[in-house]
Amino acid sequence: EDKVVQSPLSLVVHEGDTVTLNCSYEVTNFRSLLWYKQEKKAPTFLFMLTSSGIEKKSGRLSSILDKKELFSILNITATQTGDSAVYLCAISGYSGAGSYQLTFGKGTKLSVIP
Amino acid sequence: DTGVSQDPRHKITKRGQNVTFRCDPISEHNRLYWYRQTLGQGPEFLTYFQNEAQLEKSRLLSDRFSAERPKGSFSTLEIQRTEQGDSAMYLCASSLGLGLETQYFGPGTRLLVL
């Protein structure tokens, strides 16, 4: 059974700080790893990572995947109060049924205080 | 708006009643997924459609749950004889269906069973 563990579960930082969120996983046949941001509504897509060592970047957010060590990190630099949210990591693995279901971690709740 | 839409956004029902939720995916997406999310947890996979075919169901999906996607476009999720443990956010997601792909989530239906 696929498994995703995120750490820390919650984090409080001051505006301007840099944060690193961690995601480790176990999966039978890796396809991709995805990061989502969830404010009090549905998850919104941030990144999809499929290859090891390649950094995906969007503004102040960046993410990298280590397929050998089975983990990913999400970095947020110069945090703003609008970054306050739950950040979800999810794994997509090949299954015999051909499903593309995602297995999510519990998320990291980030609170950015002014 | 061309995103995933769900209806209703909120539902309060009494234990034992039946409820039905609707999901309209992004128009060109042929894969549709249902997830359930409870407080403090990441979304959990329930079921998956490719066009009108339901290809996989989680063991979380008891006999009281049924999902359909009759014409390969919108989908419905019905819960019969609701129980208090069914209270959760029900999320629908869709994806294009061309291999490695991102799932885009709708706003969710929040169900409260009294």
Side-chain angles (χ1 to χ4, degrees):
Chain A
E1 187 175 315
D2 298 348
K3 185 177 176 184
V4 176
V5 177
Q6 292 186 245
S7 64
L9 291 181
S10 66
L11 191 55
V12 180
V13 300
H14 287 95
E15 257 190 325
D17 287 350
T18 293
V19 298
T20 298
L21 310 183
N22 303 295
C23 174
S24 63
Y25 63 89
E26 297 172 18
V27 63
T28 304
N29 293 296
F30 178 86
R31 191 203 326 264
S32 59
L33 183 146
L34 297 91
W35 284 96
Y36 287 86
K37 177 183 181 181
Q38 187 172 30
E39 298 165 275
K40 294 177 181 176
K41 49 185 180 178
T44 53
F45 172 72
L46 294 175
F47 299 115
M48 176 189 282
L49 300 151
T50 57
S51 299
S52 209
I54 295 176
E55 184 179 14
K56 289 284 184 87
K57 194 171 170 64
S58 176
R60 296 177 296 103
L61 277 67
S62 63
S63 183
I64 197 161
L65 171 68
D66 187 327
K67 285 173 72 175
K68 182 179 177 185
E69 300 298 330
L70 306 183
F71 77 88
S72 174
I73 59 172
L74 176 69
N75 278 321
I76 308 175
T77 60
T79 51
Q80 302 171 356
T81 54
D83 296 327
S84 296
V86 174
Y87 290 84
L88 294 165
C89 175
I91 278 289
S92 176
Y94 292 98
S95 73
S99 174
Y100 294 77
Q101 63 172 280
L102 296 176
T103 300
F104 283 86
K106 291 185 176 183
T108 294
K109 183 177 180 181
L110 175 65
S111 300
V112 181
I113 54 179
Chain B
D1 183 74
T2 57
V4 178
S5 62
Q6 292 186 245
D7 184 70
R9 297 289 303 278
H10 303 273
K11 179 72 178 178
I12 300 174
T13 191
K14 291 183 180 179
R15 192 173 47 189
Q17 298 294 304
N18 299 344
V19 295
T20 300
F21 309 141
R22 175 177 171 128
C23 170
D24 287 89
I26 294 171
S27 59
E28 64 269 24
H29 286 188
N30 63 32
R31 292 199 178 119
L32 186 148
Y33 311 78
W34 286 98
Y35 292 84
R36 180 173 68 189
Q37 186 175 25
T38 53
L39 201 61
Q41 304 294 317
E44 295 175 294
F45 170 77
L46 293 178
T47 190
Y48 151 66
F49 290 85
Q50 173 133 352
N51 299 311
E52 66 275 9
Q54 187 174 19
L55 296 186
E56 190 163 359
K57 292 192 288 187
S58 162
R59 62 180 181 274
L60 292 175
L61 214 64
S62 76
D63 291 345
R64 297 183 298 104
F65 287 70
S66 63
E68 293 182 342
R69 194 182 182 198
K71 297 181 180 178
S73 56
F74 73 91
S75 175
T76 57
L77 178 68
E78 181 183 16
I79 309 174
Q80 296 182 326
R81 304 181 303 281
T82 51
E83 301 173 356
Q84 287 184 325
D86 297 330
S87 296
M89 172 79 89
Y90 289 84
L91 293 165
C92 176
S94 70
S95 66
L96 196 54
L98 294 176
L100 290 176
E101 51 189 44
T102 301
Q103 292 182 26
Y104 295 93
F105 284 82
T109 295
R110 186 171 294 282
L111 173 67
L112 177 61
V113 181
L114 301 176

